[in-house]
Amino acid sequence: MKLAVLASGTGTNLQALLDQVHGRGGNEIVGVASDKAAAPALDRARAAGVPVGVFPTADFSDRPARDAALADWLEGQDVELVVLAGYMQLLSSAFLARFPSRVINVHPALLPAFPGLQAIQQALDYGVKVFGVTVHFVDDGVDSGPIILQRAVEIPGPESAQEVEERLHQIEHELLPQAVGLIAAGAVTIDPANPRRVLVEEHQGAPGAS
Ligand code: GRF
């Protein structure tokens, strides 16, 4: 499967995909795109020899124009799956329509709790004792698409957002490659009777599969 990763920041999730998925089992990251030219994620891609693209919103007349250029770039590389890994822009409906059920995101909370920005701080402020990570399909809403995988972790008395983030990053770096591996293996389908429900078949060969 050919996949592309969109990232705005540090790119530790991109690194997990480069380390665990790229060049294995017929899977290839064919491009990494960002809205930020200085994103460290792009350096990780370059270091792995993966082509990069930069699509800053300011370079385009509006968000739909930016997304159209981004979609053209991805289609030009025959991308079959688009992975959002810390991509800090909302994608337009027209973009998503070009990759139906082919865009996934990793979110540092147990959705539907704490969607949107600052999810870890939201959870801390709420006082939860169980945190977690969600990998989900992207739809028109904010972190509202059908859930593929989730994993919870008990952190009863966290001292800081940074402490929680470190724990969740460890989970993300397993869960996101696992989800990509399952999709590549054809083990992820949407229940025809309930499009909210994602059916996931266990697959031993998938990265991170237990
Ligand atoms: C992750 O916490 C992810 O859940 C969120 O953005 C963060 C990206 O981190 N969507 P990194 O750039 O992959 O280190």
Side-chain angles (χ1 to χ4, degrees), residues 165-188:
E165 187 179 59
E166 282 169 14
R167 295 283 296 277
L168 296 187
H169 260 139
Q170 290 170 13
I171 295 173
E172 289 177 353
H173 299 164
E174 293 179 13
L175 211 63
L176 184 58
Q178 183 182 356
V180 170
L182 287 164
I183 291 169
V188 175

Side-chain angles (χ1 to χ4, degrees), residues 7-15 41 44 84-88 105-109 120 133-134 143 165 168-169 172-173 176:
S8 303
T10 318
T12 64
N13 281 286
L14 166 64
Q15 192 64 53
R44 296 178 189 270
L84 310 189
Y87 185 62
M88 302 305 286
N105 180 47
V106 58
H107 184 74
I120 294 173
V133 170
T134 304
D143 300 320
E165 187 179 59
L168 296 187
H169 260 139
E172 289 177 353
H173 299 164
L176 184 58

Side-chain angles (χ1 to χ4, degrees), residues 115-133:
L117 297 173
Q118 308 278 352
I120 294 173
Q121 192 61 50
Q122 289 184 54
L124 272 173
D125 292 347
Y126 199 91
V128 301
K129 301 192 188 310
V130 179
F131 295 77
V133 170

